[in-house]
Amino acid sequence: MIVIMEKRATPEQVQHVVARVEELGFRAHLSRGEERTIIGVIGDERPLSTEVLEVLEGVERVVPVLQPFKLASRDFKPENSVIRIGDVKVGGDEIVVMAGPCAVESREQIFETAWAVKEAGAKVLRGGAYKPRTSPYTFQGLGIAGLELLGEVRETVGIPVVSEVMSVTEIDVMSRYVDVFQTGARNMQNYSLLQEVGKASLPVLLKRGMMCTIHEWLMSAEYILSNRNYNVILCERGIRTFETATRNTLDINAVPVAKQLTHLPVIVDPSHATGKANLVAAAAKAAVAAGADGLIIEVHPNPDRALSDGAQSIKPEALQKLMVELRQIAQAIGRRIA
Amino acid sequence: MIVIMEKRATPEQVQHVVARVEELGFRAHLSRGEERTIIGVIGDERPLSTEVLEVLEGVERVVPVLQPFKLASRDFKPENSVIRIGDVKVGGDEIVVMAGPCAVESREQIFETAWAVKEAGAKVLRGGAYKPRTSPYTFQGLGIAGLELLGEVRETVGIPVVSEVMSVTEIDVMSRYVDVFQTGARNMQNYSLLQEVGKASLPVLLKRGMMCTIHEWLMSAEYILSNRNYNVILCERGIRTFETATRNTLDINAVPVAKQLTHLPVIVDPSHATGKANLVAAAAKAAVAAGADGLIIEVHPNPDRALSDGAQSIKPEALQKLMVELRQIAQAIGRRIA
Amino acid sequence: MIVIMEKRATPEQVQHVVARVEELGFRAHLSRGEERTIIGVIGDERPLSTEVLEVLEGVERVVPVLQPFKLASRDFKPENSVIRIGDVKVGGDEIVVMAGPCAVESREQIFETAWAVKEAGAKVLRGGAYKPRTSPYTFQGLGIAGLELLGEVRETVGIPVVSEVMSVTEIDVMSRYVDVFQTGARNMQNYSLLQEVGKASLPVLLKRGMMCTIHEWLMSAEYILSNRNYNVILCERGIRTFETATRNTLDINAVPVAKQLTHLPVIVDPSHATGKANLVAAAAKAAVAAGADGLIIEVHPNPDRALSDGAQSIKPEALQKLMVELRQIAQAIGRRIA
Amino acid sequence: MIVIMEKRATPEQVQHVVARVEELGFRAHLSRGEERTIIGVIGDERPLSTEVLEVLEGVERVVPVLQPFKLASRDFKPENSVIRIGDVKVGGDEIVVMAGPCAVESREQIFETAWAVKEAGAKVLRGGAYKPRTSPYTFQGLGIAGLELLGEVRETVGIPVVSEVMSVTEIDVMSRYVDVFQTGARNMQNYSLLQEVGKASLPVLLKRGMMCTIHEWLMSAEYILSNRNYNVILCERGIRTFETATRNTLDINAVPVAKQLTHLPVIVDPSHATGKANLVAAAAKAAVAAGADGLIIEVHPNPDRALSDGAQSIKPEALQKLMVELRQIAQAIGRRIA
């Protein structure tokens, strides 16, 4: 950390900061410029919040030097992590497409979608049993019945399943039916939940919060990793901005930025990132071109009748068509989609 | 709801929307303009998401007419709700100040602060036992030991206590030691948690998420109210914007806007809304002038040594001084602070 | 427009709104729902601001129905506009790459860059003579001397030139030396400037303001078009959000959204949209995959010595390498780069 | 400035940065931590952009130490600047209220408003002759005729006038009729305009751009000051955020932050900052409580008929009522309103 003192800071204030730095177990390195005195804090600063020093008299600002995440960082592990979901590998050369409905609605719907997305080339089925809905008055998911359908469909169709976990109390039961825990954007900083999925044995698909920076996203990954679950897949799903023409703003820059900062795989959800079925293909293609390791796409056999997220769901035949273009883009950048 | 059709929508598409509206149990009201056809959806639209109609062919946009929250709305209950915390009433003429440290750190710290804020005129003590921290490597709160200290301090000092609940598994134990559950900004859309505090018997202080709209905030209140806990206090604590000079941007407009939309009390947290001790007084005064029903302020006897949020904590003597000005502003707008 | 009345609006208030609507030359269409009365305003609403009706007693909200832009809209002109810059066509099947330094710095620098980007396949040279800099104390561009160099380089190298116009007083002199006026992000709503370039004869590259919605961007295009300059190229260059890891957030969704709303070509500036040379390639590839009609890329022969924007400038050899991948992506989506 | 090197930076890269720093005329101060090498740049860094060093190999980040503004800074001039507009002083103990219509619409309208706001206690009349409108199809202001009316009204009523300048070509003619140039939010970074008003002799009311940081706002002030016009009044008028319940988000924190950073007076525009007449009073009271040196409020005798901004204009009688409360709040914080 670097402590920048106010222009008018007194020698006593500087001395007090130095003493505090040393008391906290770090070494202090003083540098006097023409207008400002700077104090370098030497040592592993990660357990220290900047505010511990910002609070001192005469301090103008404190600038962290090290990234606050460690296990998630590429400095810690330079080579890409490859996360296995059954036979599927996420984070290698192959780009993995996950697809399925927003929510499990019925046996017919989930079976029909599962067969269709598998045929189109998707390697993982998505589908929610517990749904975080803005309104308590709209469809909240089938719960256990939905999980049971997911368990059945993965056996019959032969495709692993990713589904959202909303509460620590659901972890045990979900473990029996799904292959990957998804933690939702609204829960990205629900640290109780992160800690518990960090103790669980399934991989975690960690969606970026719509209000969270890339650094905070990696800190949330760090919560999971530091609880010894090393199988984390990051998912960019759009952030909230002033723009209202789309449901969210796909932060496409986040893909190469995250890939530089971390060894974990990064995938993109073009459905939530746009909110409109007729924008999903463009966003998906952009994501692959930008270097994403995968996509998670909402597909529904009959979006007109979907109980949730119909407006952003594409039909199986649209997925099939999109996959053709995605394969060519993957090839153009030296990767592939099976 | 109002459905705005595309310019080029065909009569069949219009007819299909009308049929779907009626199938969903609503009446459709057609209006053909020079360039666009508009379909009014008549009935209680709250259980309907706009996406159910947006997904249909030929639809350009769907505009909700009714506010999606009902129990929280002033249309539903025109007069102000007054929430009781022991003898303290929040939402009446009197403006209530809550104060205390970010986190309970030790017996000495919490007792010293409690006595000091009570003397300054605060009516409720704040203090966290469970702390949501961005980094897993920084201080996470004392947990149960912190709760026990809070239970002790409220007995001895005679002041009710508000403290953050982070997980559904903490609700029972916390009920024994605290008077108000605080749900944090990062958990504003943790619906599992909202539902459970909605079933609990203590009042809930619902902090606004840092990137949640006022409407979403009221929808989160609706989750609690619809589970039959009617004692909800809303707390504006700053939103996230592009501005980096302050930790958050205090959305002062949210105070009068929320007061117009809902009957629930609205308080302001000037500590998180600014992130800097030397801005807290200005923000607190602005909040009272704008019509807030209360304040929740971080106070620490020794911010230099605080284990969290030291930089935004003021000292007891600063609170005392601030209270004098707040009382005069309250008077200027026809309210009072005891 | 649709006027949504408050729940408690009186019949007199409704009548007053209807009378005002008719006085303004529109027809009013009344629809009474269970909780709200809705008044449809029939006629060409574009010259009417919503506030003219919002101000009336009993009105809760006014929702526009028509898009406020007309000449820019695809409803007005369904087929793509193709803008000619000398022999270069922007908006057709071919994707056009524009490249060059942030600012003209010297004869050597601009000539070296021009030859290099032309060889790499760029069709238009970019380079600023007038530079909008946040600080009055940093390099402000060479002015007229820079323009003269641009005029020379386009003759000798045989490549058309795009350069930023910052003031109405520069339009005449610039017309002699450049082929396209660029209006900068900070001037997107400088309506005096838009009107004057709207009266000029050269095409305009209209950069999106970092704080402006897609609708506002198209309204700024409308200012130019309505002054009878129909040669407008839209340029997405990143918007401002809460994310600080990159200089701006590339709004990749804006590409397909704008292409749906308008017939004008849409290009992307991956240099400003990221702010970092090592992110430019990923952003450029994403833009082409998402359907952009072109790119404008900062290239400098020696970024280490650039007087501005060095950190986001790539070297000519990096451009050459990028062009190879871009050509393959263009092909993958059925377009081409010469 | 402080240069933070990458973890893997080589000694040669460090040496290269040091050499470049010295070549640029600064001294370099090296500090090697456990994980990172830090290079302090000693000297007046203001003419140096961070990008000049960021571009070098092995550099991770560059952190500015000094504030980039100089003449505007409180370090440069510790005591408050008081700007005179005729007999009115802005920036002293007295809080100054400016009021008037969005636009000059007619002789009757502007005279009626001028007399009314003067009677209510406003010291300066606002009114636009040139209007920046999002749409080219809505009312654009009366232009010269509007200026002439303003000139007439200030003579007859005896009140100084502030009005917006949109183009460098309007400066001369406006100088004859108005007392303060207002530069609008959309032109906050129109540097050509800032430079020209910096050379003019009237005070400048510099509105903050809706997506500009406080630092950028002060840099725009620096453009004016560095051209030797020292009479700059800063005006916070709301920023753009994700919240759509209000037209803008009043950044109330900006008032105390700006007052700490600069000696220039800071006023608030509660009309644009909210966009709704029924929120103006709350925002105005908050601004005064937070320490604003003045207010600029839209007042119209008949908002129902206003040609622009009717929805956010209050009536003269509402201003009169508001002034009573504002006077009491001013008193509560030790200031006054005449």
Side-chain angles (χ1 to χ4, degrees):
Chain A
M1 267 172 201
I2 297 165
V3 181
I4 301 174
M5 300 299 293
E6 288 170 3
K7 192 177 179 180
R8 264 174 281 279
T10 63
E12 290 69 35
Q13 289 173 338
V14 172
Q15 200 34 55
H16 183 57
V17 174
V18 169
R20 182 76 173 125
V21 165
E22 289 171 351
E23 180 191 358
L24 288 161
F26 298 86
R27 279 186 302 123
H29 178 111
L30 219 72
S31 157
R32 290 184 206 281
E34 282 169 34
E35 302 194 29
R36 289 284 191 283
T37 295
I38 307 290
I39 302 164
V41 178
I42 299 177
D44 180 359
E45 70 192 43
R46 285 189 197 84
L48 194 65
S49 344
T50 53
E51 54 194 8
V52 170
L53 298 173
E54 269 164 4
V55 69
L56 302 176
E57 295 267 316
V59 171
E60 186 175 287
R61 253 175 330 137
V62 179
V63 179
V65 171
L66 302 184
Q67 273 141 0
F69 41 88
K70 184 167 185 172
L71 304 174
S73 118
R74 231 180 235 288
D75 282 352
F76 178 75
K77 177 168 182 293
E79 69 282 3
N80 286 340
S81 286
V82 176
I83 313 296
R84 300 186 70 110
I85 307 172
D87 293 340
V88 182
K89 293 178 194 162
V90 182
D93 274 357
E94 193 174 330
I95 294 165
V96 174
V97 176
M98 311 182 184
C102 173
V104 181
E105 298 172 1
S106 70
R107 174 184 304 273
E108 293 66 34
Q109 174 246 20
I110 193 68
F111 269 85
E112 183 181 347
T113 315
W115 284 117
V117 302
K118 188 182 180 187
E119 195 190 305
K123 297 293 180 195
V124 179
L125 177 70
R126 63 152 289 154
Y130 302 100
K131 298 304 308 169
R133 301 302 300 276
T134 313
S135 167
Y137 306 125
T138 52
F139 177 62
Q140 307 270 319
L142 296 182
I144 302 274
L147 288 178
E148 288 170 352
L149 285 171
L150 286 172
E152 230 183 280
V153 86
R154 76 169 169 174
E155 290 308 311
T156 312
V157 180
I159 188 168
V161 163
V162 55
S163 193
E164 178 163 352
V165 57
M166 284 179 59
S167 171
V168 295
T169 59
E170 296 155 8
I171 291 178
D172 277 353
V173 62
M174 285 192 70
S175 301
R176 274 179 273 147
Y177 299 110
V178 309
D179 301 281
V180 183
F181 288 125
Q182 177 183 310
T183 51
R186 290 174 182 77
N187 278 321
M188 196 200 89
Q189 295 189 316
N190 177 345
Y191 300 118
S192 308
L193 183 60
L194 296 179
Q195 276 172 326
E196 293 308 311
V197 296
K199 291 172 192 159
S201 56
L202 296 182
V204 179
L205 182 72
L206 176 70
K207 288 205 150 188
R208 180 177 176 189
M210 66 179 159
M211 59 183 101
C212 295
T213 64
I214 297 169
H215 275 83
E216 289 167 343
W217 189 24
L218 294 179
M219 286 310 292
S220 288
E222 192 82 7
Y223 260 94
I224 302 170
L225 298 171
S226 64
N227 278 283
R228 303 201 190 284
N229 185 343
Y230 302 116
N231 296 307
V232 175
I233 300 165
L234 299 167
C235 180
E236 157 67 29
R237 46 74 75 200
I239 57 174
R240 179 165 275 183
T241 69
F242 63 83
E243 179 58 69
T244 54
T246 47
R247 183 168 168 185
N248 291 290
T249 296
L250 170 53
D251 182 3
I252 195 77
N253 290 349
V255 176
V257 169
K259 293 294 293 178
Q260 287 174 8
L261 294 172
T262 184
H263 51 87
L264 298 169
V266 178
I267 72 168
V268 168
D269 173 347
S271 309
H272 285 86
T274 59
K276 291 189 181 164
N278 63 13
L279 299 172
V280 167
K285 288 184 274 184
V288 169
D293 295 306
L295 296 167
I296 182 164
I297 305 178
E298 290 194 348
V299 174
H300 196 286
N302 191 354
D304 279 22
R305 304 262 151 192
L307 295 181
S308 58
D309 278 359
Q312 70 191 34
S313 297
I314 61 172
K315 294 190 183 182
E317 40 282 29
L319 178 65
Q320 196 120 27
K321 189 164 158 290
L322 174 58
M323 292 294 290
V324 176
E325 286 187 295
L326 293 177
R327 279 189 195 98
Q328 289 174 2
I329 294 175
Q331 217 168 10
I333 59 163
R335 296 182 77 169
R336 67 203 154 76
I337 297 179
Chain B
M1 268 172 200
I2 297 164
V3 181
I4 301 174
M5 300 299 294
E6 288 171 2
K7 192 177 179 181
R8 265 175 280 279
T10 63
E12 290 69 35
Q13 289 173 339
V14 172
Q15 199 35 56
H16 182 60
V17 174
V18 168
R20 182 75 173 125
V21 165
E22 289 171 351
E23 181 192 356
L24 287 161
F26 298 86
R27 279 186 303 123
H29 178 112
L30 219 71
S31 157
R32 289 183 207 280
E34 282 169 31
E35 302 194 29
R36 289 282 192 284
T37 295
I38 307 291
I39 302 165
V41 177
I42 299 176
D44 180 357
E45 69 193 44
R46 284 187 199 85
L48 195 64
S49 343
T50 53
E51 53 195 7
V52 170
L53 297 173
E54 268 163 6
V55 68
L56 302 177
E57 296 265 316
V59 171
E60 187 175 286
R61 253 177 328 139
V62 179
V63 180
V65 171
L66 302 185
Q67 272 139 1
F69 41 87
K70 184 168 184 170
L71 304 174
S73 118
R74 231 181 235 287
D75 282 351
F76 178 76
K77 176 169 182 292
E79 69 282 2
N80 286 339
S81 286
V82 176
I83 312 297
R84 300 187 68 110
I85 306 172
D87 293 339
V88 182
K89 292 178 195 165
V90 182
D93 274 357
E94 194 174 328
I95 293 165
V96 174
V97 176
M98 312 181 183
C102 173
V104 181
E105 297 171 2
S106 69
R107 174 184 306 271
E108 294 65 34
Q109 173 244 23
I110 194 65
F111 268 86
E112 183 180 347
T113 315
W115 284 117
V117 302
K118 189 183 179 186
E119 195 190 305
K123 297 293 180 195
V124 180
L125 176 70
R126 62 151 291 154
Y130 302 101
K131 297 304 307 171
R133 302 301 300 277
T134 312
S135 167
Y137 305 125
T138 53
F139 177 61
Q140 308 270 319
L142 296 183
I144 302 273
L147 288 179
E148 288 169 352
L149 285 171
L150 286 173
E152 231 182 279
V153 88
R154 75 168 168 176
E155 290 308 311
T156 312
V157 181
I159 188 169
V161 163
V162 56
S163 193
E164 179 165 352
V165 57
M166 284 179 60
S167 171
V168 295
T169 58
E170 297 155 8
I171 291 179
D172 276 355
V173 64
M174 286 191 69
S175 301
R176 274 180 272 148
Y177 300 110
V178 310
D179 302 280
V180 182
F181 289 125
Q182 177 184 311
T183 52
R186 291 173 182 78
N187 278 321
M188 197 201 88
Q189 296 190 315
N190 177 346
Y191 300 118
S192 307
L193 183 60
L194 296 180
Q195 277 172 326
E196 293 309 311
V197 295
K199 291 171 192 159
S201 55
L202 296 182
V204 179
L205 182 72
L206 177 69
K207 288 207 151 185
R208 179 178 178 192
M210 65 181 156
M211 219 154 171
C212 294
T213 64
I214 298 170
H215 275 84
E216 288 167 344
W217 190 23
L218 295 178
M219 285 309 292
S220 288
E222 192 82 9
Y223 260 93
I224 302 171
L225 299 171
S226 65
N227 278 283
R228 304 201 189 286
N229 185 342
Y230 302 115
N231 297 308
V232 175
I233 300 164
L234 298 167
C235 179
E236 158 66 29
R237 43 77 74 202
I239 57 173
R240 179 164 275 184
T241 68
F242 62 85
E243 179 57 68
T244 53
T246 46
R247 182 169 169 184
N248 291 290
T249 296
L250 170 54
D251 182 3
I252 195 77
N253 290 348
V255 175
V257 169
K259 294 294 292 178
Q260 287 173 8
L261 292 173
T262 184
H263 51 87
L264 298 170
V266 178
I267 73 168
V268 168
D269 173 348
S271 309
H272 285 86
T274 59
K276 290 190 182 163
N278 63 13
L279 299 172
V280 166
K285 289 184 273 184
V288 169
D293 295 306
L295 295 167
I296 181 163
I297 304 178
E298 290 195 348
V299 174
H300 195 287
N302 191 355
D304 278 23
R305 304 261 151 193
L307 296 181
S308 57
D309 279 359
Q312 69 192 34
S313 297
I314 62 172
K315 294 191 182 180
E317 41 283 27
L319 177 66
Q320 196 119 27
K321 188 164 160 291
L322 174 58
M323 292 295 288
V324 176
E325 286 187 294
L326 293 178
R327 279 190 194 99
Q328 290 174 2
I329 294 174
Q331 218 168 9
I333 59 164
R335 296 182 76 170
R336 67 203 155 76
I337 297 178
Chain C
M1 266 171 202
I2 298 165
V3 181
I4 301 174
M5 300 298 294
E6 287 170 4
K7 192 177 178 180
R8 265 174 281 279
T10 64
E12 290 69 35
Q13 289 173 337
V14 172
Q15 201 33 57
H16 182 59
V17 173
V18 168
R20 182 76 174 125
V21 165
E22 289 170 351
E23 181 193 354
L24 288 161
F26 298 86
R27 279 185 303 122
H29 177 112
L30 219 72
S31 156
R32 289 184 206 282
E34 282 169 31
E35 301 194 29
R36 288 284 191 283
T37 294
I38 307 291
I39 301 165
V41 178
I42 299 176
D44 180 359
E45 69 193 45
R46 285 188 198 85
L48 195 65
S49 346
T50 53
E51 54 194 7
V52 170
L53 298 173
E54 268 164 5
V55 69
L56 303 176
E57 295 268 314
V59 171
E60 187 175 287
R61 248 172 337 134
V62 178
V63 179
V65 170
L66 302 185
Q67 272 142 359
F69 41 87
K70 185 168 184 172
L71 304 174
S73 118
R74 235 184 230 288
D75 282 351
F76 178 76
K77 176 167 182 293
E79 69 281 4
N80 286 340
S81 286
V82 175
I83 312 296
R84 300 186 70 111
I85 307 173
D87 293 340
V88 182
K89 293 180 195 162
V90 182
D93 275 356
E94 193 174 329
I95 293 165
V96 173
V97 175
M98 311 181 183
C102 174
V104 181
E105 297 171 1
S106 69
R107 174 184 304 271
E108 293 65 33
Q109 173 246 21
I110 193 67
F111 268 86
E112 183 181 347
T113 315
W115 285 117
V117 302
K118 189 182 180 189
E119 194 190 306
K123 297 292 181 195
V124 179
L125 176 70
R126 63 151 289 154
Y130 301 101
K131 297 305 307 170
R133 301 303 299 277
T134 312
S135 166
Y137 305 124
T138 53
F139 176 60
Q140 308 270 319
L142 297 183
I144 301 274
L147 289 178
E148 288 170 351
L149 285 172
L150 286 172
E152 230 182 282
V153 86
R154 75 170 170 175
E155 290 308 311
T156 312
V157 180
I159 188 168
V161 163
V162 54
S163 194
E164 179 164 353
V165 55
M166 284 180 60
S167 170
V168 295
T169 58
E170 295 154 9
I171 291 179
D172 276 354
V173 62
M174 286 191 69
S175 301
R176 274 180 272 146
Y177 300 109
V178 309
D179 301 281
V180 183
F181 288 125
Q182 176 182 311
T183 51
R186 291 174 181 77
N187 278 321
M188 197 200 88
Q189 296 190 315
N190 178 344
Y191 300 119
S192 307
L193 183 60
L194 297 180
Q195 277 172 326
E196 293 308 312
V197 295
K199 290 173 192 158
S201 55
L202 296 182
V204 179
L205 183 72
L206 177 69
K207 289 207 150 187
R208 180 178 177 190
M210 67 180 159
M211 58 182 104
C212 294
T213 64
I214 297 170
H215 276 83
E216 289 167 344
W217 190 22
L218 294 179
M219 286 309 293
S220 288
E222 192 82 7
Y223 259 94
I224 301 171
L225 298 172
S226 65
N227 278 283
R228 303 199 190 287
N229 185 343
Y230 302 115
N231 296 308
V232 175
I233 300 165
L234 298 167
C235 180
E236 158 66 28
R237 46 75 74 203
I239 57 173
R240 179 165 276 186
T241 69
F242 62 84
E243 179 58 68
T244 53
T246 46
R247 181 168 169 185
N248 291 290
T249 297
L250 170 53
D251 182 3
I252 195 77
N253 290 349
V255 176
V257 169
K259 293 294 292 177
Q260 287 173 9
L261 293 173
T262 184
H263 50 88
L264 298 170
V266 178
I267 72 169
V268 168
D269 173 347
S271 308
H272 286 86
T274 59
K276 290 190 182 164
N278 63 13
L279 299 172
V280 167
K285 289 185 273 183
V288 169
D293 295 306
L295 295 167
I296 182 163
I297 305 178
E298 290 194 348
V299 174
H300 195 287
N302 191 354
D304 279 23
R305 304 261 150 192
L307 296 181
S308 58
D309 278 0
Q312 69 192 33
S313 297
I314 62 172
K315 293 190 182 181
E317 41 282 28
L319 178 65
Q320 196 119 27
K321 188 162 159 291
L322 173 59
M323 292 293 290
V324 176
E325 285 187 294
L326 292 178
R327 280 191 194 99
Q328 290 175 2
I329 294 174
Q331 217 168 10
I333 60 162
R335 295 183 76 169
R336 66 202 155 76
I337 297 179
Chain D
M1 269 176 201
I2 298 164
V3 181
I4 301 174
M5 300 300 293
E6 288 171 3
K7 193 178 177 178
R8 264 174 281 278
T10 63
E12 290 70 34
Q13 289 172 339
V14 172
Q15 199 34 55
H16 183 59
V17 173
V18 169
R20 182 77 173 124
V21 165
E22 290 171 351
E23 180 192 356
L24 288 161
F26 299 85
R27 278 185 305 122
H29 178 111
L30 219 71
S31 157
R32 290 182 206 280
E34 283 168 32
E35 301 194 28
R36 288 282 192 286
T37 294
I38 306 291
I39 302 165
V41 178
I42 299 177
D44 181 358
E45 69 193 44
R46 284 187 198 86
L48 195 64
S49 341
T50 54
E51 52 194 8
V52 170
L53 298 173
E54 267 163 6
V55 69
L56 302 177
E57 296 266 317
V59 171
E60 187 175 285
R61 255 180 323 142
V62 179
V63 179
V65 171
L66 302 185
Q67 273 141 0
F69 41 88
K70 184 166 184 172
L71 304 175
S73 118
R74 232 183 233 287
D75 281 351
F76 178 76
K77 176 167 183 294
E79 69 282 5
N80 286 340
S81 287
V82 176
I83 313 296
R84 301 187 67 110
I85 306 172
D87 292 339
V88 182
K89 292 179 195 162
V90 183
D93 274 356
E94 193 174 329
I95 293 165
V96 174
V97 175
M98 312 181 185
C102 173
V104 181
E105 297 171 2
S106 68
R107 173 182 306 271
E108 293 66 33
Q109 174 245 22
I110 193 66
F111 268 86
E112 182 181 347
T113 316
W115 285 118
V117 302
K118 188 182 181 188
E119 194 190 305
K123 297 293 180 195
V124 179
L125 176 70
R126 61 151 290 155
Y130 302 100
K131 297 304 306 171
R133 303 301 300 275
T134 313
S135 166
Y137 305 125
T138 53
F139 178 61
Q140 307 271 320
L142 296 183
I144 301 275
L147 288 178
E148 288 171 350
L149 285 171
L150 286 172
E152 230 182 280
V153 86
R154 74 168 169 175
E155 290 308 311
T156 312
V157 180
I159 188 168
V161 162
V162 54
S163 193
E164 179 165 351
V165 56
M166 284 179 61
S167 171
V168 294
T169 58
E170 297 154 9
I171 292 180
D172 276 353
V173 62
M174 286 190 69
S175 302
R176 275 180 272 147
Y177 299 110
V178 310
D179 301 281
V180 182
F181 288 124
Q182 176 183 311
T183 51
R186 291 174 181 78
N187 279 320
M188 196 200 89
Q189 296 189 316
N190 177 345
Y191 300 118
S192 308
L193 183 60
L194 297 179
Q195 276 171 327
E196 292 309 312
V197 296
K199 292 171 192 159
S201 56
L202 295 182
V204 179
L205 182 72
L206 177 69
K207 289 205 150 189
R208 179 179 177 191
M210 66 180 156
M211 218 153 173
C212 294
T213 64
I214 297 170
H215 276 83
E216 289 167 344
W217 189 23
L218 295 178
M219 285 309 294
S220 288
E222 192 81 9
Y223 260 94
I224 301 171
L225 299 172
S226 64
N227 278 283
R228 304 202 190 284
N229 185 341
Y230 302 115
N231 296 308
V232 175
I233 300 164
L234 298 167
C235 179
E236 158 66 29
R237 44 76 73 198
I239 57 173
R240 179 165 275 185
T241 69
F242 63 84
E243 178 58 68
T244 54
T246 46
R247 181 168 169 185
N248 291 290
T249 297
L250 171 53
D251 182 4
I252 195 77
N253 289 349
V255 176
V257 169
K259 294 292 292 177
Q260 287 174 9
L261 293 173
T262 184
H263 51 87
L264 298 170
V266 178
I267 72 168
V268 168
D269 172 349
S271 308
H272 286 87
T274 58
K276 291 189 182 165
N278 63 13
L279 300 172
V280 167
K285 288 185 273 184
V288 169
D293 296 305
L295 295 168
I296 181 164
I297 304 178
E298 289 194 350
V299 175
H300 195 288
N302 191 355
D304 279 23
R305 305 260 150 193
L307 296 181
S308 58
D309 278 0
Q312 70 191 32
S313 296
I314 62 173
K315 294 190 184 182
E317 43 279 30
L319 178 65
Q320 196 119 27
K321 188 163 160 292
L322 174 58
M323 292 294 289
V324 176
E325 285 187 294
L326 293 178
R327 279 191 195 98
Q328 289 174 3
I329 294 174
Q331 217 167 10
I333 59 163
R335 297 181 76 169
R336 66 202 155 79
I337 297 178

